[in-house]
């Protein structure tokens, strides 16, 4: 919310320098989407705490279905802003559903209890807030850089590819990740049980995403052109290049939860800084080569290396703990 508001209120010269001056009229909607996303995140964490997995699953299915159906419908109607509007509507609908589900909690609101809980868990924002802010920057960084260096048309194609590829990760990875967090925290410090759960989760997500990834890699351009129209073929070509990276992200999505349980929060900050450096460098490489697909290919390679390192830290930490207990 803060980032969107500051970008909206930034002077025209700064927006022009960043190459986002043409997006200025979308920033108010970004603020609204930020509020809705915050409500969804808070409600989802509470439902996960209460093991209300069926409600969580239904919410994610509704959000994804609204996004896809409305986005495709508006795309067929010729609206270039269809995906953005679809995302906004889906988030607001999901936030409304969550507010209705957690409404009884407001009857037990106690400011003093909230303050005491915040004081007892002060380490969480101390380490996780900077990382979360970095995540916001790193997620949006490619769009801003592509807009500035390759133009808004290329940024639109990239955004479409990224959103479509990200839907399975948001739906499947998000739901699995929340359940995994609860079960992994219960299993730990039983290293054998925790490791078994981690590998089973990785295996399930890999099997779930393997076939769609292969199809996108081979037929990405044709699929996007058929479903969304010929004007989106380039987005399909980008999706074909990025699909292995999104599969790796999907498989690795529960690992962030294990970082919290194992007390590895500090390491996430280092990865956040690395993301900024190599994503900027990869996109700049494409600018030199005058080919955005070169940027994406370099980004995929760097991201795969980072994901492997990210997961190796978890396995090494578990191994160290296991040795220390022997």
């Amino acid at each position: 919310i803060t980032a969107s508001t500051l970008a909206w209120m930034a002077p025209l010269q700064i927006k022009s320098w960043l190459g986002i001056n043409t997006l200025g009229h979308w920033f108010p909607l970004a603020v609204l989407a930020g509020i809705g996303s915050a409500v969804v995140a808070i409600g989802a964490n509470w439902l996960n705490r209460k093991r209300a997995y069926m409600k969580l699953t239904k919410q994610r299915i509704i959000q994804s279905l609204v996004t896809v159906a409305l986005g495709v419908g508006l795309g067929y109607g010729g609206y270039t802003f269809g995906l953005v509007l679809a995302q906004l509507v889906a988030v607001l609908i999901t936030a409304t559903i969550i507010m209705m589900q957690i409404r009884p909690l407001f009857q037990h609101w106690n400011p003093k209890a909230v303050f005491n809980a915040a004081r007892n868990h002060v380490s969480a924002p101390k380490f996780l807030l900077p990382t979360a802010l970095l995540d916001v920057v790193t997620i949006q960084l490619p769009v801003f850089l592509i807009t500035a260096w390759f133009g808004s048309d290329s940024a639109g194609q990239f955004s479409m590819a990224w959103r479509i590829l990200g839907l399975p990760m948001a739906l499947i990875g998000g739901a699995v990740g929340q359940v995994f967090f609860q079960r992994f925290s219960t299993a730990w410090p039983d290293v054998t049980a925790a490791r078994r759960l981690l590998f089973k989760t990785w295996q399930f997500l890999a099997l779930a995403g393997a076939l769609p990834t292969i199809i996108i890699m081979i037929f990405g351009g044709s699929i996007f052109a058929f479903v969304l129209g010929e004007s989106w073929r380039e987005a399909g070509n980008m999706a074909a290049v990025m699909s292995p990276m999104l599969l790796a992200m999907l498989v690795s999505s529960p690992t962030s939860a294990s970082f919290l349980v194992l007390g590895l929060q500090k390491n996430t900050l280092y990865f956040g800084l690395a993301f900024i450096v190599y994503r900027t460098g990869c996109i700049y490489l494409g600018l030199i080569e005058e080919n955005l697909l070169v940027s994406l290919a370099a980004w995929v390679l760097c991201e795969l290396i980072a994901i492997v390192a990210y997961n190796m830290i978890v396995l090494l930490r578990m191994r160290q703990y296991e040795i220390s207990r022997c």
Side-chain angles (χ1 to χ4, degrees):
I1 298 172
T2 302
S4 300
T5 304
L6 291 176
W8 177 27
M9 299 176 62
L12 184 60
Q13 290 182 342
I14 295 180
K15 292 180 181 179
S16 179
W17 179 73
L18 292 173
I20 60 173
N21 53 318
T22 58
L23 306 177
H25 61 286
W26 290 109
F27 285 123
L29 295 180
V31 175
L32 185 60
I35 295 173
S37 298
V39 172
V40 171
I42 294 171
N45 281 306
W46 174 257
L47 293 175
N48 184 56
R49 179 183 178 88
K50 294 299 181 180
R51 300 186 181 183
Y53 302 131
M54 184 59 67
K55 291 182 178 180
L56 279 171
T57 302
K58 289 180 179 179
Q59 289 167 7
R60 292 190 177 276
I61 291 175
I62 291 173
Q63 185 172 352
S64 297
L65 287 177
V66 172
T67 301
V68 174
L70 189 57
V72 172
L74 292 174
Y76 272 120
Y79 295 95
T80 56
F81 55 85
L83 188 59
V84 175
L85 182 60
Q87 291 280 348
L88 175 61
V89 172
V91 166
L92 294 180
I93 290 176
T94 307
T96 302
I97 294 174
I98 286 180
M99 289 293 291
M100 295 175 62
Q101 290 176 337
I102 67 175
R103 184 172 52 185
L105 292 177
F106 297 116
Q107 299 175 0
H108 306 285
W109 175 261
N110 187 334
K112 183 178 180 180
V114 172
F115 175 78
N116 290 334
R119 183 177 57 185
N120 293 334
H121 299 280
V122 67
S123 60
K126 180 179 179 181
F127 295 114
L128 297 181
L129 181 58
T131 303
L133 293 176
L134 273 177
D135 286 343
V136 173
V137 174
T138 53
I139 290 172
Q140 301 300 327
L141 183 63
V143 177
F144 285 124
L145 293 179
I146 292 172
T147 303
W149 292 342
F150 292 91
S152 57
D153 289 341
S154 295
Q157 296 282 342
F158 168 80
S159 296
M160 175 63 81
W162 183 261
R163 293 293 184 184
I164 296 297
L165 290 176
L167 285 175
M169 186 169 64
L171 177 62
I172 302 175
V176 172
Q178 290 179 331
V179 176
F180 172 84
F181 184 30
Q182 189 274 330
R183 293 183 177 178
F184 189 86
S185 59
T186 302
W188 186 258
D190 186 336
V191 178
T192 301
R195 186 186 291 119
R196 184 185 302 115
L197 175 62
L198 184 62
F199 280 119
K200 284 186 176 180
T201 305
W202 284 345
Q203 183 181 26
F204 168 77
L205 292 173
L207 292 174
L211 182 59
T213 298
I214 294 173
I215 293 174
I216 293 295
M217 289 178 64
I218 299 174
F219 305 109
S222 299
I223 293 174
F224 274 63
F226 175 76
V227 176
L228 301 176
E230 186 63 33
S231 60
W232 293 106
R233 180 177 291 275
E234 184 60 25
N237 294 334
M238 294 181 185
V241 175
M242 294 190 295
S243 56
M245 175 178 69
L246 270 295
L247 175 61
M249 289 180 173
L250 173 66
V251 174
S252 179
S253 56
T255 306
S256 57
S258 60
F259 260 64
L260 297 178
V261 176
L262 298 177
L264 297 170
Q265 295 93 325
K266 292 183 180 180
N267 293 275
T268 60
L269 182 60
Y270 303 137
F271 278 96
L273 294 172
F275 292 160
I276 293 178
V277 173
Y278 72 68
R279 289 181 182 181
T280 302
C282 290
I283 297 176
Y284 185 72
L285 175 63
L287 177 64
I288 295 175
E289 298 292 331
E290 298 182 351
N291 190 336
L292 181 54
L293 293 180
V294 172
S295 296
L296 300 181
W299 179 14
V300 168
L301 177 61
C302 292
E303 199 77 29
L304 292 176
I305 294 173
I307 290 173
V308 171
Y310 193 77
N311 289 282
M312 285 300 299
I313 289 176
V314 171
L315 296 178
L316 289 173
R317 175 69 181 91
M318 296 173 70
R319 179 58 179 166
Q320 289 172 355
Y321 182 84
E322 188 175 39
I323 293 174
S324 67
R325 295 292 299 271
C326 295

